[in-house]
Amino acid sequence: MTKPMNRPFNYFFLPIITVILLRPQIATALNTIHSENNASLSRRQFGITSSVILQTLSSTPQRASAGSSPIASRFESDILTAPPITAGTRYTGHENLYFPSWVEGEWDATQTLVSTKAPLGLAFVGGPQGSLEVAKATMSEQEQRLNQPVRLKLKFVNTKFGVVEDRAFNLKSRLNSFAGRNVVASVEYADVRESNRAAVLAAGGKETDPLTTTLVYFKGPAAQKTFVISHGQDPLDGDDWSGYEVDRSIFALTNTNTAPPVTTDTEVLYELRKIGDGDVVEGRLRLAGYLNPQADKLYFDARNRAVSLNDYTLTLKRSS
């Protein structure tokens, strides 16, 4: 029988789970395991975790038009199919999602959740067993965060290969900002075939260039490793840019608890627009959560479609 989590762990993580609301990854499970009778970690109970949340907007940006780009048009449908895995197909060792040049720099960001949906039905966000009780708790937590702006710092850096987000800096900033206090002990980069330090340096990059795989150690007994398994962007259209990535996150306890790691896939969709001289960027962020074939009872019923959608407005103001 799996050992139940201790109360210090529960009380440490409850604020994180309740507030993060980033993606269907690490939320409700941690919320529900505070019950000593709940001995196991439930995957979709992890509701909404770290990895990404990028910015936010005070006013609503224009919606994509009928002739919009393929990526931008994914904001308009509630039925999304997961993009194919692209990681490792380029064989460069420095794969990444590259942003337009006008995103480079440090930003004062704001993000506001404006919509949260379970497009295939509540059971699909109800943990590995499709529990309606878990699903209702997950959706209730997200709905409590609707229209509540969160402010944070974000950084994007220029590399030889293009402008990328400083994932270590941004991930720590997002987690701490959404939790309302410092919950991250450290964030490190990890080498994988698709993005590793040796390949970056061999291609003329720098020791400080961000990689795509991160390892987060929380101040509580837990860690999370996140990989980018798919990414792409539409051609830059003047001052408008759209891109996406699919993140695979593995969350695990680092104490003596024997609960198995929790693995989740989340598609992160960006739609950004440069305003004026570039000191302001507005846009939208959509987080689409998908089920995992090794963990979720309803995986085949979902047919590779998104089971949760969280839409945010975004704004970036260049830090002075």
Side-chain angles (χ1 to χ4, degrees), residues 35-239:
S35 167
E36 295 194 12
N37 294 324
N38 187 355
S40 63
L41 281 175
S42 117
R43 173 191 181 278
R44 189 58 47 183
Q45 292 171 12
F46 270 91
I48 323 129
T49 166
S50 71
S51 283
V52 12
I53 196 182
L54 237 195
Q55 306 104 338
T56 197
L57 219 198
S58 307
S59 57
T60 303
Q62 286 185 326
R63 308 289 291 182
S65 64
S68 64
S69 66
I71 294 176
S73 65
R74 288 176 68 81
F75 282 88
E76 310 313 320
S77 175
D78 286 349
I79 303 299
L80 298 182
T81 301
I85 293 177
T86 63
T89 61
R90 296 172 176 85
Y91 303 104
T92 65
H94 52 77
E95 295 182 23
N96 216 321
L97 175 62
Y98 295 103
F99 291 80
S101 60
W102 36 264
V103 178
E104 179 188 0
E106 296 188 24
W107 302 87
D108 295 319
T110 310
Q111 170 174 327
T112 304
L113 179 67
V114 295
S115 175
T116 181
K117 299 176 182 177
L120 303 187
L122 279 179
F124 287 87
V125 294
Q129 300 304 314
S131 166
L132 287 178
E133 181 180 355
V134 170
K136 289 175 181 177
T138 299
M139 295 302 293
S140 176
E141 288 171 3
Q142 296 182 65
E143 289 168 357
Q144 290 175 22
R145 301 299 164 184
L146 284 168
N147 303 314
Q148 295 187 22
V150 175
R151 293 172 177 81
L152 61 154
K153 295 281 189 179
L154 292 172
K155 184 189 298 184
F156 297 82
V157 298
N158 191 27
T159 71
K160 175 185 176 180
F161 317 105
V163 173
V164 299
E165 71 162 313
D166 186 335
R167 294 177 188 270
F169 178 91
N170 290 355
L171 185 49
K172 185 175 183 178
S173 177
R174 290 165 185 155
L175 283 166
N176 288 339
S177 296
F178 274 76
R181 58 193 178 92
N182 294 329
V183 296
V184 175
S186 65
V187 182
E188 303 172 1
Y189 288 115
D191 286 333
V192 295
R193 182 184 64 174
E194 296 80 22
S195 174
N196 61 82
R197 187 62 60 201
V200 168
L201 294 176
K206 299 178 181 178
E207 186 70 37
T208 56
D209 287 350
L211 303 179
T212 59
T213 300
T214 56
L215 182 58
V216 178
Y217 291 98
F218 292 97
K219 291 185 176 181
Q224 177 176 292
K225 193 171 187 178
T226 301
F227 309 81
V228 177
I229 62 172
S230 183
H231 64 84
Q233 61 260 2
D234 290 328
L236 185 63
D237 182 13
D239 293 336

